[in-house]
Amino acid sequence: MPKNCNFIEKLREVGLRPTKQRVKMCEVLYNREKTFHFTINDLVKLLSEKMNQKISLATVYNTVHAFEKKGYLKEISIDSHKSYFDTNTSAHHHFFDEDTHELIDCDESDIDKVNIRKNITGKKINSVEVLVRVASDNQTQK
Amino acid sequence: MPKNCNFIEKLREVGLRPTKQRVKMCEVLYNREKTFHFTINDLVKLLSEKMNQKISLATVYNTVHAFEKKGYLKEISIDSHKSYFDTNTSAHHHFFDEDTHELIDCDESDIDKVNIRKNITGKKINSVEVLVRVASDNQTQK
DNA sequence: ATCTACATTATAATAATTCTAAACTGTTGA
DNA sequence: TCAACAGTTTAGAATTATTATAATGTAGAT
Ligand SMILES: [Mn+2]
Ligand SMILES: [Mn+2]
Ligand SMILES: [Zn+2]
Ligand SMILES: [Zn+2]
């Protein structure tokens, strides 16, 4: 309960009204130790099942995209069939577990700086991100 | 006309019947110097407008996915809202032009080998791919 | 307490993709 | 050569993810 004050302020700063739906959404998104990777459906389920917050799908979409525009969330393209979002909004690298479909942030130290030798003429580099696809080691998979 | 024989054989080898739709599709996909990156819609348009091959959307989807399963095409996740496919099926790196939404293969020499220092326990690395997002240099974009 | 701008909601609309089932066609072997 | 069959194409329906709409609700100011 007291923690929510942070979120209320946070929302205000960004120009969003701290409604109960948004505060609950903040709790789900940001009350955690580690980066949170999720789909819209993950988030709706967490809100309704774990947080007992009835909320419409449209509100979740709208608010997630509002957060994204404000730089509080980042959309990640890992699977063309689904949108993943990430509470870590910096450019960073990922492991993607192809068994569980889980996204995991790489630590800074996990991957050396990527050296780009040649760029497209007349273009500047906005971001460089690495995706490492991993899968179970002990599986018979040709 | 003589070139098509290659495609007819290619299709046969893979266990697909060399129908005129599939042969035309092969021409569009593989009769080119460089890697081809496309969306399903790009392909349908090329087939109907450039090749004068009337073809249903369902057939394009089915055949593209058949090729994908056979390892003749690879799906690329660049934009969660659209599926891109690639005639280069090896693990490789890309530039993505955020102005034109164009995907461009990196040459081997463009990017140094990516050094992964630490992996997820019990998992093996299936692929390591880099995505470099670029945009116009001379644009006012904060 | 009332007002008002903004938010929430259910529902409709749209877009991408997949499914279905009937019509069609490449291949085989009589 | 040609019927028969199995695989293929097709139009359109169904499904799924996402976005738009417009009526209703509510936070925050006065
Ligand atoms: Mn999106
Ligand atoms: Mn696909
Ligand atoms: Zn992340
Ligand atoms: Zn490519």
Side-chain angles (χ1 to χ4, degrees), chain B residues 70-128:
Chain B
K70 295 293 180 180
Y72 278 28
L73 287 174
K74 181 181 175 185
E75 191 164 6
I76 305 285
S77 297
I78 247 61
D79 174 343
S80 323
H81 303 162
K82 236 178 215 170
S83 282
Y84 280 77
F85 292 88
D86 192 336
T87 53
N88 179 352
T89 57
S90 65
H92 61 286
H93 310 315
H94 289 103
F95 293 106
F96 184 64
D97 186 328
E98 299 193 316
D99 302 320
T100 63
H101 281 199
E102 194 186 2
L103 256 187
I104 301 146
D105 277 3
C106 292
D107 287 331
E108 287 286 336
S109 56
D110 290 348
I111 296 184
D112 284 350
K113 185 172 185 312
V114 178
N115 187 26
I116 315 286
R117 290 176 171 281
K118 208 175 62 189
N119 187 14
I120 311 285
T121 324
K123 303 281 173 176
K124 75 171 208 302
I125 292 177
N126 280 345
S127 68
V128 176

Side-chain angles (χ1 to χ4, degrees), chain A residues 35-48:
Chain A
T35 300
F36 179 40
H37 300 99
F38 63 97
T39 65
I40 296 283
N41 262 333
D42 295 339
L43 187 50
V44 172
K45 263 189 197 144
L46 279 175
L47 280 163
S48 67

Side-chain angles (χ1 to χ4, degrees), chain B:
Chain B
M1 191 83 63
K3 275 189 244 139
N4 297 356
C5 298
N6 307 335
F7 296 136
I8 291 174
E9 282 167 33
K10 185 175 184 172
L11 287 165
R12 283 236 175 77
E13 275 168 24
V14 173
L16 293 173
R17 275 193 194 163
T19 61
K20 63 177 185 298
Q21 289 88 345
R22 281 183 178 150
V23 172
K24 284 278 183 183
M25 194 173 293
C26 283
E27 286 179 44
V28 171
L29 293 177
Y30 303 110
N31 255 348
R32 42 180 83 230
E33 315 280 292
K34 298 200 302 181
T35 300
F36 180 39
H37 300 98
F38 63 95
T39 66
I40 296 283
N41 262 334
D42 295 339
L43 188 50
V44 172
K45 264 189 195 147
L46 280 175
L47 280 164
S48 67
E49 292 175 7
K50 295 262 162 77
M51 305 297 281
N52 267 76
Q53 176 60 65
K54 182 185 173 339
I55 188 169
S56 85
L57 190 58
T59 300
V60 177
Y61 272 103
N62 293 338
T63 309
V64 163
H65 283 120
F67 282 164
E68 189 190 2
K69 193 178 291 176
K70 295 293 180 180
Y72 278 28
L73 287 174
K74 181 181 175 185
E75 191 164 6
I76 305 285
S77 297
I78 247 61
D79 174 343
S80 323
H81 303 162
K82 236 178 215 170
S83 282
Y84 280 77
F85 292 88
D86 192 336
T87 53
N88 179 352
T89 57
S90 65
H92 61 286
H93 310 315
H94 289 103
F95 293 106
F96 184 64
D97 186 328
E98 299 193 316
D99 302 320
T100 63
H101 281 199
E102 194 186 2
L103 256 187
I104 301 146
D105 277 3
C106 292
D107 287 331
E108 287 286 336
S109 56
D110 290 348
I111 296 184
D112 284 350
K113 185 172 185 312
V114 178
N115 187 26
I116 315 286
R117 290 176 171 281
K118 208 175 62 189
N119 187 14
I120 311 285
T121 324
K123 303 281 173 176
K124 75 171 208 302
I125 292 177
N126 280 345
S127 68
V128 176
E129 292 182 321
V130 178
L131 178 64
V132 183
R133 291 180 186 269
V134 303
S136 194
D137 203 0
N138 54 4
Q139 214 135 317
T140 332
Q141 48 186 29
K142 192 233 113 79

Side-chain angles (χ1 to χ4, degrees), chain A residues 12 18 57-58 61 65 83:
Chain A
R12 283 236 174 78
L57 190 58
Y61 272 102
H65 283 120
S83 283

